[in-house]
Amino acid sequence: MSGIEAIFSVGGYIDAADGPLSYVLVFVLAMIPGIEPFIVIPVAIGIGLDPVITGVAAFLGSLTAVGAIVVTHRRLATWWNRRYDSDDTISSTRYNRAQRVWNRYGIPGLAVGGPILAGIHLTALFAAITGSNNRSVFGWLTVGLGMWTVGLVTATIGGLSVLGLGG
């Protein structure tokens, strides 16, 4: 499925849902890698959902995924290292981008730049892999995700207004 097809599918799913179910769907879709808030927020607001509730639902959905990734990684890594005495790392283009941001700016830079460069899910995994404190990782990722959410909601409202599509 191409990026455009994914956007239309997300819009179709949200549009087909009624009332509060629409926002629950925004919450769930924001947890899915590749969709995340960067697609779900503009699409949901574009089809007429309330921008503030949409932003909160997408933020909480992504935050739930981030928390699950950070906590699960720690537990899996501990188990894996005990069982196999291993220290394997991940290698991909997106991971390498996240690594460059990490090397230059640390957790605060990763939390702000990572979501747009590598996606929030990979950013959370990378931050967890660095061995940093779970609370620090979760706190900074919450700040970065909050900034991106506010920016996305604001940009979407502004863009729709400029296009004459906003209410």
Side-chain angles (χ1 to χ4, degrees):
M1 182 181 316
S2 74
I4 298 296
E5 289 172 333
I7 291 170
F8 285 116
S9 293
V10 167
Y13 293 136
I14 294 171
D15 199 27
D18 290 331
L21 186 57
S22 299
Y23 298 104
V24 171
L25 198 52
V26 167
F27 174 88
V28 170
L29 290 170
M31 290 192 287
I32 299 172
I35 296 177
E36 303 184 24
F38 294 101
I39 292 179
V40 77
I41 288 175
V43 169
I45 293 172
I47 62 173
L49 294 184
D50 179 83
V52 173
I53 299 172
T54 296
V56 169
F59 173 78
L60 292 175
S62 285
L63 199 58
T64 300
V66 164
I69 289 167
V70 170
V71 169
T72 302
H73 172 269
R74 291 281 189 237
R75 290 183 179 162
L76 285 175
T78 300
W79 172 81
W80 183 267
N81 288 335
R82 259 188 299 184
R83 182 172 175 113
Y84 296 105
D85 195 29
S86 172
D87 192 21
D88 294 337
T89 59
I90 299 171
S91 180
S92 74
T93 303
R94 295 176 91 186
Y95 180 85
N96 291 335
R97 278 189 239 151
Q99 177 75 46
R100 284 193 302 274
V101 172
W102 170 257
N103 289 340
R104 190 165 194 169
Y105 303 107
I107 287 181
L110 183 66
V112 173
I116 193 69
L117 295 173
I120 190 65
H121 302 89
L122 192 56
T123 298
L125 180 59
F126 182 79
I129 288 171
T130 64
S132 300
N133 177 296
N134 274 1
R135 287 185 183 180
S136 177
V137 166
F138 189 73
W140 277 109
L141 290 175
T142 300
V143 169
L145 184 58
M147 291 170 54
W148 278 108
T149 301
V150 169
L152 283 166
V153 168
T154 303
T156 300
I157 293 169
L160 291 172
S161 179
V162 166
L163 294 172
L165 301 173

